[in-house]
């Protein structure tokens, strides 16, 4: 093989290796950003979101209804094939006996979207034997998440459920 062919092959392989290194570095930076955001979400969940939900839950309890606050931490999907289960927190309100699964009752969730560096809100006004809806309720940056924002969004769900 001619030296000039070897040089061109070496150049092609060097370019390819540099591209692989650059992609690996970019992936590491993205993972680091996601890890930081996940940590910050969990801190906000524990210090802002959950306490805001507990205040609403306590008020609901005073009116004769029970509630539950559940959390999830970021983890791989149970089937191992789909995307991971994101960190989240959910306030569920029980209108009657707790014989139905949590997702079959009205509630409000705050979900960590680490890839987009945002939190997503989900509301559910459905309950057994009643109509209602379930779906997205907006999104926000983590810095926009306040006790007031969370409670206003939950108020919207409660007002619709108890109308």
């Amino acid at each position: 093989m001619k030296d000039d062919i070897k040089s061109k092959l070496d150049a092609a392989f060097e370019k390819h290796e540099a591209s692989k290194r650059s992609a690996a570095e970019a992936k590491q930076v993205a993972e680091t950003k996601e890890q930081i955001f996940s940590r910050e979400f969990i801190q906000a969940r524990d210090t802002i979101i959950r306490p805001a939900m507990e205040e609403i839950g306590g008020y609901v309890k005073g009116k004769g209804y029970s509630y539950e606050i559940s959390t999830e931490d970021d983890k791989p999907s149970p089937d191992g094939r789909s995307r991971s289960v994101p960190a989240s927190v959910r306030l569920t309100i029980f209108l009657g006996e707790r014989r139905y699964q949590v997702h079959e009752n009205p509630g409000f969730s705050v979900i960590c979207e680490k890839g987009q560096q945002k939190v997503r809100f989900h509301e559910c006004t459905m309950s057994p034997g009643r109509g209602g809806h379930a779906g997205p309720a907006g999104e926000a940056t983590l810095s926009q998440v306040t006790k007031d924002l969370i409670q206003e969004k939950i108020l919207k769900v409660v007002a619709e459920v108890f109308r």
Side-chain angles (χ1 to χ4, degrees):
M1 184 179 327
K2 291 183 180 178
D3 286 344
D4 126 1
I5 299 264
K6 279 185 181 178
S7 292
K8 289 179 181 174
L9 283 171
D10 286 342
F13 282 110
E14 286 173 19
K15 184 177 179 182
H16 177 69
E17 286 301 316
S19 176
K20 281 178 28 180
R21 276 191 308 275
S22 178
E25 289 169 5
K27 182 179 178 187
Q28 186 174 6
V29 166
E31 286 175 354
T32 301
K33 280 184 178 180
E34 288 179 0
Q35 290 168 343
I36 291 168
F37 188 81
S38 290
R39 228 179 6 258
E40 290 172 348
F41 172 82
I42 288 170
Q43 181 180 8
R45 179 185 72 188
D46 296 343
T47 61
I48 299 169
I49 303 166
R50 186 179 182 106
M53 289 179 167
E54 287 171 347
E55 282 187 19
I56 296 281
Y59 194 85
V60 166
K61 188 174 183 177
K63 296 294 183 183
Y65 298 91
S66 61
Y67 75 97
E68 175 181 294
I69 298 174
S70 55
T71 59
E72 288 281 344
D73 287 328
D74 191 43
K75 61 185 173 191
S77 67
D79 64 10
R81 292 180 290 174
S82 56
R83 69 182 226 154
S84 66
V85 176
S88 64
V89 57
R90 175 183 166 87
L91 168 68
T92 304
I93 299 169
F94 299 97
L95 302 181
E97 293 181 33
R98 293 176 116 183
R99 63 178 178 247
Y100 299 99
Q101 294 186 22
V102 169
H103 68 274
E104 295 178 12
N105 291 278
F108 179 78
S109 299
V110 182
I111 303 155
C112 176
E113 292 293 345
K114 63 185 180 187
Q116 292 80 33
Q117 303 284 293
K118 293 193 180 247
V119 295
R120 185 170 36 92
F121 305 114
H122 187 272
E123 64 185 19
C124 177
T125 62
M126 296 186 298
S127 59
R130 297 183 183 191
H133 74 275
E139 62 182 33
T141 63
L142 205 48
S143 63
Q144 293 171 321
V145 174
T146 64
K147 174 181 157 183
D148 291 341
L149 174 68
I150 298 301
Q151 290 183 342
E152 287 289 332
K153 289 191 169 286
I154 295 170
L155 170 62
K156 182 179 175 235
V157 172
V158 171
E160 191 168 326
V161 169
F162 289 99
R163 62 182 165 135

